[in-house]
Amino acid sequence: MKDPGSHNHSDPVSAFILLGFPCPWEIQILLFSLFSVTYVLTLIGNLCIICSVWWTQHLHAPMYILLANFSFLEIWYVTSTVPNMLVNLLSGTNTISFSGCFLQFYLFFSMGTTETFFLSVMAFDRYLAICRPLHYPTIMTVRRCCRLGACCWACGFSSFLLPVYLISKLPFCGPNTIDHFLCDPGPLLKLSCVPAPSTETICAVVSSVLIFSTFLFITGSYALVIRAVLRVPSAEGRRKAFSTCGSHLAVVSLFYGSIMVMYVSPTAGNPAGIQKIVTLFYSVLTPLFNPLIYSLRNKEVKEALRKLFRVARFGQRHPLKS
């Protein structure tokens, strides 16, 4: 019987097989249940952040508008991979079309790139609020905040066009099995019929520039923020400033710590199992942790969520007051 992962080398590949998590059926059911619960909780958590900002008038400020945009992004970021992964856990074929594979590749990495830009803008917002408090209201207006958010989306979805185009134009003639649960550039480059060192280099350079430029910008912003906070004379003022920035720093650490392992060199010699675990961490778990981190560490968000739950319970429809 022909191996489903094999392919006639004379014919171009029209579909790929995502190997996912090869394990006994009982374990796949367990994984399906675990990832389903995680996905639903991620959607609920991020939707709560969005609704609390939307319905609470005093949260209509740049910091919280950016947070709502970030939560909206997280919803689509996790949706680009998890539903397909859940289907594959219960499917016997695990196939994805050629165009579907590259569409997932493009959406997943575009939204990941957009996330790095949003984290940078959020760091810049905190820098202005703490280091330039007198100029903050005139520099970071709501209109300018919305423009910066739009730039994040536009830059994020244009940054990975070239890598996706170059990899999609490579000849794929078999085998067509990807040892991953999503269409990732590393496994795709390995499946090409011919070596593509230039494409691999371009992918590595694009990933490195995006990751390190935004990471250095964020760390530079927070170095200035920490220096300014340490000069605050009162302990209460320092505590409040660190509390405001602590949640953002936690999110940055979780996200960048995992993506740096994976995408600075797309075909780095990481075992497939390690790649899946690291990818699961930043693509599935961090979108779940982010609303928890922001809501638990931010007093205003916690209060807005309490009011939101009261609204849902008693049917109040008008926007919440401060």
Side-chain angles (χ1 to χ4, degrees):
M1 184 177 178
K2 189 176 180 180
D3 179 17
S6 65
H7 196 276
N8 188 339
H9 285 245
S10 63
D11 299 328
V13 167
S14 59
F16 294 100
I17 297 174
L18 293 173
L19 197 57
F21 305 93
C23 54
W25 175 250
E26 294 79 7
I27 303 299
Q28 290 193 4
I29 294 297
L30 178 62
L31 290 175
F32 176 84
S33 303
L34 180 62
F35 292 146
S36 296
V37 171
T38 301
Y39 180 58
V40 171
L41 290 177
T42 300
L43 296 184
I44 293 173
N46 284 287
L47 281 172
C48 284
I49 296 290
I50 295 170
C51 292
S52 64
V53 173
W54 179 268
W55 283 100
T56 308
Q57 290 181 344
H58 77 280
L59 295 187
H60 295 175
M63 174 182 173
Y64 298 106
I65 292 173
L66 291 172
L67 177 58
N69 269 272
F70 189 75
S71 294
F72 180 75
L73 170 64
E74 292 285 66
I75 289 174
W76 290 108
Y77 183 55
V78 73
T79 300
S80 67
T81 57
V82 173
N84 184 70
M85 180 174 63
L86 294 175
V87 170
N88 287 344
L89 282 169
L90 299 181
S91 171
T93 56
N94 298 353
T95 58
I96 184 170
S97 67
F98 186 92
S99 58
C101 181
F102 280 93
L103 178 62
Q104 184 191 62
F105 175 17
Y106 172 68
L107 291 176
F108 178 70
F109 284 91
S110 293
M111 284 184 279
T113 305
T114 304
E115 184 161 335
T116 65
F117 289 132
F118 264 109
L119 290 172
S120 300
V121 172
M122 292 165 79
F124 180 63
D125 174 75
R126 291 302 84 205
Y127 161 77
L128 289 176
I130 293 174
C131 299
R132 298 288 185 270
L134 298 179
H135 299 92
Y136 178 78
T138 56
I139 297 176
M140 187 60 76
T141 61
V142 171
R143 175 174 292 184
R144 183 161 294 160
C145 172
C146 293
R147 288 176 179 173
L148 287 172
C151 287
C152 290
W153 286 98
C155 293
F157 275 79
S158 60
S159 297
F160 255 87
L161 284 172
L162 180 59
V164 172
Y165 174 78
L166 292 176
I167 296 178
S168 68
K169 292 303 179 182
L170 294 175
F172 295 96
C173 49
N176 64 337
T177 300
I178 299 175
D179 191 6
H180 214 310
F181 61 85
L182 56 81
C183 290
D184 191 80
L188 283 170
L189 285 167
K190 291 177 182 178
L191 291 181
S192 174
C193 299
V194 297
S198 59
T199 298
E200 183 178 339
T201 300
I202 290 172
C203 291
V205 168
V206 170
S207 298
S208 299
V209 168
L210 290 172
I211 291 171
F212 285 109
S213 62
T214 52
F215 180 72
L216 290 174
F217 180 84
I218 292 170
T219 53
S221 298
Y222 275 103
L224 296 173
V225 166
I226 291 171
R227 187 180 68 174
V229 169
L230 291 176
R231 293 177 178 175
V232 175
S234 67
E236 178 63 22
R238 290 195 298 270
R239 187 202 61 79
K240 185 176 180 180
F242 275 124
S243 176
T244 303
C245 302
S247 56
H248 188 228
L249 283 172
V251 171
V252 169
S253 300
L254 287 172
F255 184 72
Y256 277 92
S258 53
I259 64 173
M260 283 183 177
V261 175
M262 291 293 298
Y263 296 113
V264 173
S265 178
T267 56
N270 298 319
I274 299 298
Q275 290 183 1
K276 294 176 189 179
I277 292 171
V278 175
T279 306
L280 271 176
F281 186 82
Y282 74 80
S283 66
V284 178
L285 294 182
T286 54
L288 171 66
F289 294 152
N290 289 349
L292 295 174
I293 292 171
Y294 280 115
S295 62
L296 291 175
R297 293 187 61 89
N298 190 298
K299 185 182 296 184
E300 290 184 306
V301 173
K302 283 193 290 187
E303 182 59 31
L305 287 172
R306 291 192 192 101
K307 293 180 179 179
L308 179 67
F309 293 145
R310 288 200 294 269
V311 167
R313 183 176 179 181
F314 297 109
Q316 183 182 358
R317 292 186 177 274
H318 56 78
L320 302 175
K321 303 297 181 182
S322 58

